[in-house]
Amino acid sequence: MCLKYYCLGVINIEYIDNKSRKYNRIKTNRLNKKYINKELIASDEILSNINGYSLDKEQRIAVITDECASLIVAGAGSGKSLTMIGKIRYLIERKNIKEDEILCISFTRDASSNLEKNIKKNFNYDIKVYTFHKLALQILKNKNYKISPTNTLENITDEYFNNTIYNNVDMIKKVKKVLNKIDTPYELILKSKELINLKKLIITFINLFKTNNYKLDYFLKIKKNKDIISIIIDIYIMYEQELKSDGSIDFNDMISLATLYIKNHEIKKYKYIIVDEYQDTSYVRFLLLKEIINKTNAKIICVGDDYQSIYRFNGCDLNMFLNFKKYFGYTKILKINNTYRNSQELINVAGDFIMKNKRQLYKKLRSGKRLDKPIKIVYGDNLKKLINVIKLKYKNILILGRNNFDINKYFKINNEGLIDYEGVNIKYLTIHASKGLEEDVVIIINLKDDTLGMPSKIKDDKILKYVSTGVDKYPFEEERRLFYVALTRTKNEVYLLVNKKNPSIFVRELIKNYPKYIEYI
C-alpha cells in the first residue's frame, strides 16, 4: 500500500538485475544517492529500446523511480513521450502490471490519440489514453448524460441582452452603466463593439467560475463590481436552468460529476496514473485525480514543463504544478534535462530568458547539438523573400504567429494551416497550437510592440481576478512562456521577422542580453 509513512523521506526505486532476473528494492536518501544511481543505470534491455531509442540516464531514473507521487519536469525536446512510454513498458514487462491497471491521461485529443497509437504500434499494448473530458465521459457512461453544444452559453448570453432584458428599464440602465454608455440608445448598444466584448468577458468569467469549481454562493462574497456581477449571475442562472431543462451537462460539469460519482461508487482498481502535460491542469481536474487516488490507492506520475504553461485563459493553474507537493504530499521531483531538438546555444538563450521569472522551476538543459548563431533576426516585412532564402537549405518550414490572423497579410492558408508556395512544405500555426510540435526551421512573425503583437498587451479585465488563480506575478509572465514555446519549436535555426521601427520588447531583450547568439539578416 502507498501509505504516507512508507513514502516519507525516502526515494523508492525498483530495478532489475539482468543476471538473476530478480527485482531489487532500494530505500535511500541523499547519503547514498551516488551508489543508487550507479545501480539504477545498470543496463536493462527494455530501456534501451523505446521506439528504437535508448533512454538516457535521467529518463531511466524517471522510469524506474517508484513513489506514491512523482513529478517529472521535462524540458522542451527532452523526450518526455519516450519516457512515458518507457514507464508504461517497464510497468507491464518488469512489474507485471496489467494494461487496464494503468490510467493514462493527456491534455488534448490529438496528443492522447497520438500517444495511444504510438504505444499500440510499437508494443501492441491496449492502453487507453484519455483526455480529462473523455475520462469523465467514460466514468459517467451508464448515466446517459446528454452533452450540451459548446455554443449554448454564447446563445444564452445573446438571448439575455437581445430579449430577456429588452423591455426592462432597470436592467438596461445597468448595462449602460457597465459599458459607460448612459446616453446611448439601447438599439445602438446592441450593435456595439463594447457589448460584443462584454459578452466575451461574461462567457470567460462563467467558464472560469465552473472550471475552478466555484458554487453559486461564491457570488455573495464578491463585494465590488456589483452591476456587472449581477448581470453575470442572471446569465449564469439562465444557463444552468437551460442545461437542467434540456437534461444536459457541459464539459465542466462532466469532470465535477465524474468526481462525485467516484466518491460514491466503486471504480476500476488502477495501480498507476500517468498524466501528461500536467502544467496545463486545473483545479477540477486535480480533484478528479485526487478522488481516483483516494478510491484506488494508485500511485501517480505527472509529466510536464512549467516553462510551457500557456493555457491560463482555459482555467489552467500553474500553481498546481509549481506546488505539486502541497496537493499530493511527499513527492519525488525528477528532471529530464537533455534536449534532443534544440542546439545548446538556443537553449542557453531560451532557458535564461524564461528564468527571468524566478517563480519558474530552475533546470539546466543540455544538448549535444551545436549551432553558432541559431537566432536570425530579419528586419523588414518580406516573408516570401525570407522563405526563398530558407528553402535553399530546408524544405519544411513552420511559421508561428501570436494570433490566427497574423498570416493573412502574407498568404492564404487552407483549413489545416498549410501554405502552397513554390514546392516548399510550409505550415502556419498560432504559438498556442504549436506546443508539442517541432520542425526543421521556424519563422516567428508579428514581432512588434503593439496591443496585438508579441507579447500581447491585451489586459485581462479586472473582474476576472475573482475567478482566475493564474494572475501574472511577473510582467508578461504567460506571454514570456509563450515566446519560449515559439523559440523552442525548431530543430535548427529560428528566424524572427522584426519591425525595425517598432520591435517587440522581447526581441529588444534578446538583442541586449544575447548578442553572441544572434545573426542579423
Side-chain angles (χ1 to χ4, degrees):
M1 293 181 66
C2 193
L3 302 176
K4 287 185 178 179
Y5 69 82
Y6 181 73
C7 296
L8 189 60
V10 299
I11 303 171
N12 293 321
I13 295 166
E14 293 192 346
Y15 71 97
I16 190 164
D17 185 322
N18 282 325
K19 293 182 179 180
S20 65
R21 309 305 294 170
K22 293 181 180 179
Y23 291 104
N24 296 273
R25 185 170 188 83
I26 300 170
K27 286 190 178 182
T28 185
N29 53 33
R30 292 183 180 180
L31 294 177
N32 56 356
K33 185 177 179 181
K34 185 175 181 181
Y35 167 77
I36 292 306
N37 287 348
K38 181 178 178 181
E39 293 292 339
L40 264 177
I41 309 307
S43 63
D44 186 329
E45 68 271 16
I46 71 166
L47 301 184
S48 299
N49 182 20
I50 303 299
N51 296 6
Y53 295 92
S54 179
L55 298 187
D56 65 30
K57 177 180 177 180
E58 291 172 338
Q59 291 170 330
R60 289 174 184 240
I61 293 174
V63 165
I64 299 172
T65 298
D66 192 42
E67 281 295 344
C68 295
S70 300
L71 178 64
I72 301 174
V73 184
S78 62
K80 69 178 178 63
S81 294
L82 279 181
T83 305
M84 290 174 62
I85 295 171
K87 183 74 177 183
I88 290 169
R89 188 180 184 195
Y90 185 81
L91 291 175
I92 292 172
E93 297 191 21
R94 292 291 182 256
K95 296 200 66 181
N96 296 319
I97 301 298
K98 296 176 182 177
E99 293 167 33
D100 63 357
E101 292 174 332
I102 301 171
L103 173 59
C104 196
I105 306 171
S106 193
F107 186 67
T108 66
R109 183 170 55 186
D110 286 345
S112 61
S113 176
N114 289 338
L115 184 57
E116 185 174 307
K117 290 176 182 176
N118 206 328
I119 294 169
K120 180 69 175 177
K121 176 183 176 182
N122 287 283
F123 301 108
N124 201 32
Y125 302 147
D126 288 318
I127 300 284
K128 289 288 184 184
V129 183
Y130 296 94
T131 63
F132 277 95
H133 290 118
K134 186 178 179 182
L135 174 63
L137 196 60
Q138 174 67 19
I139 293 168
L140 298 171
K141 65 180 180 180
N142 295 324
K143 303 296 288 182
N144 295 319
Y145 284 111
K146 176 183 174 183
I147 308 303
S148 179
T150 55
N151 63 347
T152 300
L153 179 54
E154 182 180 343
N155 293 339
I156 290 294
T157 305
D158 287 338
E159 172 71 16
Y160 178 83
F161 288 104
N162 294 339
N163 297 311
T164 305
I165 68 168
Y166 193 79
N167 292 315
N168 188 319
V169 176
D170 291 335
M171 289 306 301
I172 288 176
K173 187 183 294 184
K174 191 178 292 187
V175 172
K176 288 183 176 182
K177 183 178 178 182
V178 168
L179 296 175
N180 196 25
K181 287 180 172 291
I182 299 297
D183 299 323
T184 305
Y186 192 62
E187 288 75 12
L188 295 179
I189 288 177
L190 285 174
K191 302 175 183 178
S192 68
K193 182 179 179 181
E194 289 82 358
L195 184 60
I196 292 173
N197 291 334
L198 177 61
K199 289 177 182 179
K200 290 179 180 177
L201 175 62
I202 291 170
I203 291 169
T204 300
F205 187 101
I206 292 174
N207 279 324
L208 287 172
F209 181 88
K210 298 191 72 171
T211 297
N212 288 301
N213 208 39
Y214 292 116
K215 306 303 179 187
L216 190 58
D217 60 358
Y218 175 74
F219 285 112
L220 300 175
K221 300 177 182 179
I222 302 176
K223 304 301 182 184
K224 297 180 180 180
N225 308 103
K226 290 293 186 180
D227 289 330
I228 188 172
I229 289 297
S230 69
I231 294 171
I232 293 173
I233 291 174
D234 287 344
I235 295 173
Y236 173 79
I237 292 173
M238 283 178 61
Y239 176 56
E240 291 296 305
Q241 288 175 341
E242 173 66 20
L243 293 177
K244 186 176 181 180
S245 65
D246 192 42
S248 61
I249 60 174
D250 63 17
F251 284 110
N252 288 310
D253 292 329
M254 284 171 60
I255 296 178
S256 297
L257 287 169
T259 304
L260 183 62
Y261 181 88
I262 292 170
K263 188 173 184 179
N264 297 315
H265 298 82
E266 291 300 317
I267 63 167
K268 185 184 293 184
K269 293 295 183 182
Y270 294 112
K271 291 185 177 179
Y272 285 86
I273 303 170
I274 301 174
V275 186
D276 190 17
E277 302 287 5
Y278 190 74
Q279 77 279 351
D280 293 324
T281 200
S282 63
Y283 187 60
V284 290
R285 294 184 179 103
F286 157 74
L287 291 176
L288 177 60
L289 292 173
K290 195 67 172 176
E291 201 57 57
I292 295 173
I293 292 171
N294 290 342
K295 211 60 182 280
T296 67
N297 209 35
K299 297 179 179 180
I300 187 165
I301 303 102
C302 293
V303 187
D305 182 8
D306 56 303
Y307 291 4
Q308 299 183 67
S309 177
I310 56 174
Y311 289 110
R312 187 178 65 194
F313 60 89
N314 280 340
C316 300
D317 183 0
L318 183 56
N319 292 311
M320 308 293 299
F321 189 96
L322 297 178
N323 302 314
F324 192 87
K325 292 181 180 179
K326 172 184 173 182
Y327 296 97
F328 288 103
Y330 178 77
T331 299
K332 179 59 184 171
I333 297 179
L334 304 129
K335 294 182 180 180
I336 303 176
N337 290 307
N338 291 319
T339 178
Y340 300 94
R341 177 191 303 152
N342 311 127
S343 67
Q344 185 66 53
E345 291 76 11
L346 182 62
I347 59 175
N348 285 346
V349 174
D352 189 69
F353 174 84
I354 199 70
M355 278 307 301
K356 293 292 189 295
N357 176 11
K358 300 303 180 185
R359 193 163 81 102
Q360 308 276 175
L361 299 177
Y362 178 78
K363 43 188 171 289
K364 187 71 173 177
L365 294 181
R366 302 179 294 267
S367 173
K369 189 180 287 188
R370 294 291 182 271
L371 282 174
D372 186 30
K373 294 182 183 294
I375 298 175
K376 314 293 186 183
I377 291 183
V378 184
Y379 287 119
D381 203 30
N382 196 329
L383 181 57
K384 289 183 178 179
K385 186 175 181 180
L386 175 58
I387 290 172
N388 287 336
V389 173
I390 295 175
K391 74 176 186 178
L392 298 175
K393 187 175 180 181
Y394 302 108
K395 296 302 180 185
N396 299 299
I397 300 173
L398 177 61
I399 302 174
L400 299 177
R402 178 62 182 81
N403 312 289
N404 280 312
F405 51 79
D406 289 348
I407 194 64
N408 293 347
K409 64 185 288 187
Y410 304 106
F411 291 107
K412 289 183 179 180
I413 61 175
N414 65 19
N415 293 333
E416 297 178 343
L418 299 177
I419 297 169
D420 182 16
Y421 184 71
E422 298 191 1
V424 187
N425 297 319
I426 307 174
K427 185 163 188 173
Y428 175 75
L429 293 171
T430 64
I431 303 172
H432 281 100
S434 74
K435 191 160 78 70
L437 303 178
E438 62 183 23
E439 194 48 88
D440 291 340
V441 66
V442 169
I443 302 171
I444 307 175
I445 61 175
N446 191 24
L447 289 171
K448 57 186 176 182
D449 189 6
D450 187 67
T451 303
L452 297 176
M454 180 77 245
S456 169
K457 295 187 177 180
I458 298 176
K459 293 183 178 180
D460 289 342
D461 192 283
K462 292 180 180 179
I463 197 73
L464 294 179
K465 69 181 180 181
Y466 297 116
V467 287
S468 177
T469 56
V471 178
D472 281 355
K473 295 178 174 61
Y474 188 86
F476 298 113
E477 179 176 310
E478 183 145 327
E479 292 291 306
R480 182 172 286 267
R481 291 193 291 269
L482 196 61
F483 192 53
Y484 173 87
V485 168
L487 290 174
T488 55
R489 294 312 91 195
T490 182
K491 290 189 277 187
N492 295 287
E493 297 91 2
V494 56
Y495 288 79
L496 312 183
L497 196 60
V498 178
N499 183 320
K500 190 170 186 177
K501 294 182 179 179
N502 188 33
S504 157
I505 59 174
F506 287 165
V507 171
R508 296 204 299 266
E509 184 176 331
L510 295 185
I511 292 171
K512 177 182 177 181
N513 295 337
Y514 316 105
K516 71 176 182 178
Y517 297 111
I518 297 172
E519 178 183 358
Y520 296 89
I521 299 176

